[in-house]
Amino acid sequence: MDKIEHIGIAVKDLEASNALFAKLLGTPHYKIEDVASEGVKTSFFQSGPNKIELLEATKPDSPIAKYLEKKGEGIHHIAFAVGDIVAEIERLKGEGFIVLNEVPKKGADNKLVAFLHPKGTNGVLVELCQEIKEG
Ligand code: ZN
């Protein structure tokens, strides 16, 4: 894995949290994106070289809604940038990690993503993401 790509934070009210994180980081979010397939609306902040993703549920049965119900707001996942997500999924499966979606799916921010089950990673939901190359 190349680096931490972003940290995902589950929030109940994206608009309120956008205002809060703008105050915290001293800079407003630079984009908002709906990922309909995941039932989630996300916003992104840049903090120096790092990114923060806020996630709000848009459907009551979305994974984020379930997470908020169970655990409340807070750090939801850590995302790592990878060069070849398919190879990385194979490698991690070989190491015994539980991959939640073995076929990478389109996530927010023009990325192919896959998640590792937190059961196998000390309770941390890990996201792998690979930039989708244009053309
Ligand atoms: Zn993410």
Side-chain angles (χ1 to χ4, degrees):
M1 305 206 207
D2 299 337
K3 60 165 187 172
I4 291 178
E5 214 285 329
H6 63 268
I7 291 174
I9 298 173
V11 304
K12 287 182 183 157
D13 180 341
L14 192 65
E15 208 181 304
S17 297
N18 278 340
L20 179 72
F21 274 79
K23 274 194 246 175
L24 175 70
L25 300 171
T27 182
H29 63 276
Y30 64 89
K31 80 160 137 185
I32 288 193
E33 200 175 331
D34 239 300
V35 186
S37 60
E38 295 293 302
V40 73
K41 194 168 165 188
T42 67
S43 67
F44 284 88
F45 290 81
Q46 192 81 41
S47 170
N50 303 118
K51 282 196 260 179
I52 302 282
E53 174 187 35
L54 303 183
L55 306 113
E56 175 194 63
T58 54
K59 291 190 296 195
D61 60 341
S62 75
I64 289 295
K66 286 178 189 156
Y67 181 91
L68 285 166
E69 204 173 288
K70 250 168 92 176
K71 302 202 170 170
E73 296 180 297
I75 294 183
H76 176 258
H77 64 269
I78 299 180
F80 292 92
V82 300
D84 181 343
I85 195 166
V86 173
E88 200 62 16
I89 288 170
E90 280 312 306
R91 183 183 75 80
L92 292 166
K93 271 167 62 185
E95 296 285 2
F97 292 97
I98 308 154
V99 182
L100 290 172
N101 58 300
E102 297 194 6
V103 177
K105 54 189 176 182
K106 179 112 171 40
D109 203 24
N110 195 41
K111 302 277 196 295
L112 281 176
V113 302
F115 289 91
L116 302 184
H117 199 294
K119 210 162 68 181
T121 49
N122 291 130
V124 179
L125 178 62
V126 172
E127 175 183 354
L128 311 175
C129 54
Q130 178 192 326
E131 192 87 32
I132 298 171
K133 291 176 190 90
E134 303 296 334

